[in-house]
Amino acid sequence: MAPNIHHIPLVPTTIEDARIRVAILGTGMMGQEHISYILGYSDEVRIDFLCDPFENSLTEARRLIMDSPYHEPKFLSNEEELLASAGQIDLLVIASPNYMHTPTLLRWGVHDITILCEKPVSVSQDQHDELIAASKLPEWNARLWTAMEYRYIPAIAKLLSLLPEIGELKMVTIRENRYPFLHKIGEWNRDRAKTGDTLVEKCCHFFDLFRLITGKEVDLSKVRALAQRGINYGHEENQFDVPIIDSAYVTMPFHGEDGRCNTVGCLELCMFAEGSRHQEEIIVTGSKGRLEAYLPENKVFMYQRPNMEKWQDRSIPPPKSSVHEQVFDCSNVKDIHGIADDIPTHGGYHYCSTAVEWYYLLAAVRKYRDGSNFQPHVSLSDGLKAVEIGIQATSTLADGMVSDCRDM
């Protein structure tokens, strides 16, 4: 992915550099994506530390940043070295392998620092509980923003803005049709102990969206799942005794403040669907209409249900003219989010949503510097609740609701 070094205002070269001092822990794929977008905010942010134990990842990070005159980071291979410099860091980005997120948060949470932690914030019930307990201690000083960039994908953001148009929400379906997990160093993303399995590692993004769309909490005791394992990765040399989940259906009811369930959700995941027309689909149906968001098409379709006047003869299907359709092209990120300022772009992943995430994160940091409370869009609690749904869905598979396709 190309670094964002164009259209950047000249950074003042005064002795007093008031930019936000950033350290990135983990310079693999996601770390590099964050670097690329930070380069587009060089008038506000400077990267002072890049840390990763793997030289190849640091080399790639160095390549991304070498042409930018606004950043002179120290390259470290040991987190202990980085931790020793905590007092020189305003904002830490945690983009290390998933199983390391909770231990890292426990080490850094005692410092007066802002943290952007990639999802998931934990991968097991033990990590989840440990993180909750630590965050309640008086010595916890960190301000945490959980990275859930899917919230800012243009088509998803547009769908969220249109929810009032379709009445009371009744059904939410999220479908992902994609390729298998990409290769990671040490194949940690094939190891259930290091990921919490696919419904935690991958799907916490979607469980976060379910909560965001409905504005309600999932009744965890009634979450159910069906899944398949052993379809992908069989050709690889290093095999785990139990392979990670390759496909799944997860159903869940949502309850409001009155405790009643009047909204249901369904997640469909297929990790062997290369070439599918849509990689992600989000369909929300309300009492008055329906919203459909499609990616990478980046469009939202809104349908209004016909009233009695437009569909008078109920013995036949409704006339096509009676259903009102609107199509929203979401290719202009700034228009969708109402952002007047320039934001960085590149041809990387996540439809430029990480740039929008950084836009709002930096605004929150500026407000905190000016004396306001730090208000993350996605709190530690939000991150943990998304993980809870994934853990619960995975636990229901212990009842025999999973097929190991290696046996077929």
Side-chain angles (χ1 to χ4, degrees):
M1 60 187 73
N4 282 290
I5 57 175
H6 52 283
H7 306 307
I8 303 172
L10 288 177
V11 177
T13 56
T14 58
I15 296 176
E16 184 69 26
D17 188 344
R19 289 182 293 165
I20 298 165
R21 302 170 298 175
V22 172
I24 299 179
L25 178 58
T27 59
M29 186 185 76
M30 276 310 304
Q32 291 165 27
E33 181 165 332
H34 285 297
I35 292 170
S36 178
Y37 283 118
I38 290 172
L39 294 180
Y41 290 113
S42 293
D43 56 331
E44 293 189 67
V45 180
R46 75 184 200 213
I47 300 175
D48 283 2
F49 298 93
L50 293 171
C51 182
D52 198 296
F54 295 96
E55 184 57 36
N56 287 346
S57 296
L58 276 181
T59 298
E60 186 61 23
R62 186 180 286 109
R63 185 191 67 78
L64 284 172
I65 207 168
M66 64 185 297
D67 292 329
S68 173
Y70 310 121
H71 306 269
E72 297 179 354
K74 294 180 181 178
F75 293 88
L76 305 176
S77 60
N78 190 309
E79 186 190 341
E80 291 184 4
E81 296 180 74
L82 185 63
L83 197 56
S85 302
Q88 304 171 43
I89 300 168
D90 300 314
L91 197 162
L92 172 71
V93 178
I94 300 175
S96 52
N98 295 354
Y99 65 98
M100 302 174 71
H101 293 177
T102 292
T104 302
L105 285 170
L106 295 176
R107 287 189 289 272
W108 288 84
V110 298
H111 294 278
D112 181 13
I113 191 172
T114 301
I115 300 175
L116 174 68
C117 182
E118 273 299 329
K119 62 80 193 170
V121 291
S122 59
V123 300
S124 68
Q125 191 66 52
D126 286 344
Q127 284 194 351
H128 168 279
D129 296 346
E130 192 175 11
L131 196 50
I132 287 180
S135 66
K136 293 178 179 178
L137 296 175
E139 54 265 34
W140 183 275
N141 288 309
R143 299 165 296 280
L144 181 66
W145 182 304
T146 305
M148 292 285 190
E149 65 272 1
Y150 278 40
R151 289 184 174 213
Y152 308 104
I153 290 174
I156 295 175
K158 185 63 179 179
L159 179 144
L160 290 168
S161 73
L162 293 170
L163 289 174
E165 303 295 323
I166 61 170
E168 184 179 6
L169 302 192
K170 295 298 182 182
M171 300 179 68
V172 182
T173 301
I174 298 179
R175 180 181 295 118
E176 182 169 42
N177 313 289
R178 56 163 286 168
Y179 43 84
F181 281 127
L182 301 176
H183 284 276
K184 303 286 186 180
I185 293 173
E187 306 298 354
W188 64 263
N189 61 339
R190 309 282 203 274
D191 187 345
R192 295 188 306 145
K194 294 182 177 179
T195 66
D197 215 332
T198 308
L199 296 182
V200 173
E201 196 283 340
K202 182 74 189 74
C203 299
C204 63
H205 264 311
F206 301 123
F207 296 135
D208 176 64
L209 289 178
F210 276 113
R211 294 183 62 246
L212 183 64
I213 290 169
T214 63
K216 300 175 181 178
E217 298 298 342
V218 173
D219 186 340
L220 291 175
S221 67
K222 296 179 180 177
V223 172
R224 296 292 182 269
L226 288 167
Q228 293 176 311
R229 306 182 186 275
I231 297 174
N232 295 318
Y233 321 118
H235 61 285
E236 297 178 359
E237 292 183 5
N238 297 323
Q239 296 290 320
F240 294 93
D241 290 340
V242 180
I244 58 174
I245 292 170
D246 294 313
S247 67
Y249 289 102
V250 180
T251 59
M252 64 210 85
F254 298 86
H255 57 77
E257 295 181 357
D258 59 2
R260 294 188 307 114
C261 169
N262 52 14
T263 308
V264 293
C266 179
L267 170 70
E268 177 187 326
L269 175 72
C270 181
M271 301 286 291
F272 46 93
E274 301 92 330
S276 178
R277 178 181 175 186
H278 300 121
Q279 182 164 316
E280 288 95 9
E281 306 173 22
I282 300 179
I283 301 169
V284 185
T285 307
S287 56
K288 297 180 179 179
R290 182 179 176 97
L291 294 166
E292 301 177 0
Y294 296 106
L295 297 165
E297 190 175 0
N298 225 355
K299 289 182 179 179
V300 175
F301 297 78
M302 182 168 70
Y303 304 94
Q304 299 288 343
R305 297 182 67 193
N307 56 28
M308 292 298 296
E309 180 181 349
K310 293 182 178 179
W311 183 20
Q312 296 181 6
D313 186 354
R314 299 276 168 147
S315 66
I316 60 174
K320 188 174 182 179
S321 60
S322 70
V323 179
H324 180 60
E325 178 190 71
Q326 287 181 271
V327 182
F328 301 88
D329 185 339
C330 304
S331 55
N332 191 316
V333 180
K334 290 173 58 179
D335 282 353
I336 295 298
H337 286 278
I339 297 174
D341 304 324
D342 286 336
I343 60 172
T345 61
H346 70 53
Y349 306 98
H350 304 122
Y351 312 98
C352 208
S353 60
T354 307
V356 179
E357 181 177 56
W358 272 96
Y359 177 86
Y360 290 120
L361 171 61
L362 294 177
V365 173
R366 287 195 302 270
K367 289 180 180 178
Y368 177 77
R369 281 184 161 190
D370 291 339
S372 299
N373 291 329
F374 182 73
Q375 296 184 326
H377 283 191
V378 193
S379 66
L380 172 60
S381 176
D382 290 324
L384 286 168
K385 286 180 178 179
V387 167
E388 288 172 6
I389 303 170
I391 291 174
Q392 179 62 25
T394 305
S395 72
T396 68
L397 300 175
D399 298 329
M401 306 299 284
V402 60
S403 299
D404 189 336
C405 295
R406 296 174 301 173
D407 300 331
M408 297 183 181

